[in-house]
Amino acid sequence: MSDGDNLLKLVEAEEADDQDYLLQEQVGFILRKAHQRHVSIFAAHIGDLTPPQFAALAKLRDVGETSQNQLGTLIAMDAATVKGVIDRLKARGLVELSKHEVDKRRLLVNLTAEGRDAIERLIPLAREITRETLAPLSAKEIATFMKLLAKLA
Amino acid sequence: MSDGDNLLKLVEAEEADDQDYLLQEQVGFILRKAHQRHVSIFAAHIGDLTPPQFAALAKLRDVGETSQNQLGTLIAMDAATVKGVIDRLKARGLVELSKHEVDKRRLLVNLTAEGRDAIERLIPLAREITRETLAPLSAKEIATFMKLLAKLA
DNA sequence: TTGATATCATTTGCATACGAATGAATTTGC
DNA sequence: GCAAATTCATTCGTATGCAAATGATATCAA
């Protein structure tokens, strides 16, 4: 392609912007890819737990026993999704469920001893996952990126 | 909890950083939330197509007829995922499939006339989706963010 | 108090997303 | 030119993710 063609494209782009919708430059597309990359890094370090499962355990470690719904709010999962995640953690003995004494609608979730051991053991690996995910950026870039990303989330 | 306890926790945090692993500050967690928000914005503007389906149509518009596998590479989807997406687009008459004349392994995918109409009609909405997703940021912040996000993806 | 609302949890249905296994067809390496 | 390796596509199984509908319980308001 000649320089003339490049120039023509630039001129056209200023007028008819339907011509240059580039999927690979859209924030949603790149966000999806960045997320995919992170999940892949996560899986390489923590093979037997998914990021949502890890999030549930990490948050239970923070807040202690909570209702399934409340936990979902804390880790940004809707009720249907969190149920599946908790069911699988329960099947593996990492969390235990109990009924709320007063409010009979609520299902309380808590870490088991095994679940607590697991999350404590995994946190160092999670730190490394964060580090590796951000590895393409310098320290200053990381600070900038995290600030802007937080605004979008 | 007393002020003494707070002080103790701060002191401990400086030594044993296992104490302050905060899920909500980890890049993976925020990336997942940002992606969720984008998908939600997408759905509000384009209700009858998912972001992956849109991506497939938009990329076919760019490159014309390609193999299913190649399309998957271009839109960052593995073979199993892209098959499902294409199957659903085909069922709706937006893409058509044909066999590669020479290489019999390949399944060629292309837009139908209806699919071409659809993607042309949707691109303005997609621009608005990008705009709304990035709305929390200033123009300068957007430029910075996109540069850094691209490095991570 | 009771009727309307709201909340919590579950279920169903659909759509990504990916690892692993399989089979068909092609390309490579010797 | 042929065996080995690779590529393309499919299928299966598992795990999010969310909308919508449902049932049980709790709260609010007249």
Side-chain angles (χ1 to χ4, degrees), chain B residues 73-89:
Chain B
T73 301
L74 293 171
I75 59 179
M77 269 177 234
D78 75 3
T81 301
V82 80
K83 184 186 191 312
V85 173
I86 294 302
D87 280 354
R88 284 179 285 277
L89 291 175

Side-chain angles (χ1 to χ4, degrees), chain B:
Chain B
M1 189 171 68
S2 75
D3 286 356
D5 289 333
N6 276 321
L7 192 57
L8 181 59
K9 284 205 171 177
L10 282 172
V11 171
E12 282 171 345
E14 286 170 5
E15 300 166 353
D17 51 13
D18 235 57
Q19 295 302 91
D20 72 330
Y21 179 85
L22 294 179
L23 179 71
Q24 64 274 16
E25 293 179 4
Q26 306 303 309
V27 63
F29 184 74
I30 311 181
L31 221 37
R32 176 170 148 272
K33 287 213 299 176
H35 182 249
Q36 279 177 355
R37 173 170 167 273
H38 167 75
V39 172
S40 167
I41 291 171
F42 188 102
H45 285 82
I46 301 180
D48 64 341
L49 221 55
T50 64
Q53 289 168 3
F54 175 86
L57 296 183
K59 187 48 74 177
L60 284 172
R61 172 180 179 268
D62 281 353
V63 302
E65 188 173 61
T66 1
S67 74
Q68 195 175 262
N69 241 30
Q70 175 62 14
L71 180 61
T73 301
L74 293 171
I75 59 179
M77 269 177 234
D78 75 3
T81 301
V82 80
K83 184 186 191 312
V85 173
I86 294 302
D87 280 354
R88 284 179 285 277
L89 291 175
K90 183 192 175 212
R92 294 177 53 175
L94 300 176
V95 302
E96 56 192 356
L97 304 180
S98 57
K99 289 178 180 169
H100 193 286
E101 295 279 316
V102 178
D103 187 339
K104 295 179 188 169
R105 294 169 306 178
R106 295 190 197 168
L107 187 64
L108 297 175
V109 189
N110 206 354
L111 292 173
T112 60
E114 191 184 345
R116 188 166 298 278
D117 285 352
I119 188 61
E120 297 296 344
R121 181 174 50 79
L122 292 174
I123 280 174
L125 304 185
R127 284 187 211 287
E128 172 59 19
I129 290 166
T130 292
R131 205 193 57 70
E132 192 170 327
T133 299
L134 292 170
L137 305 183
S138 72
K140 184 172 287 186
E141 285 175 330
I142 289 174
T144 303
F145 178 74
M146 292 303 288
K147 182 169 69 79
L148 299 180
L149 181 61
K151 283 195 187 184
L152 283 198

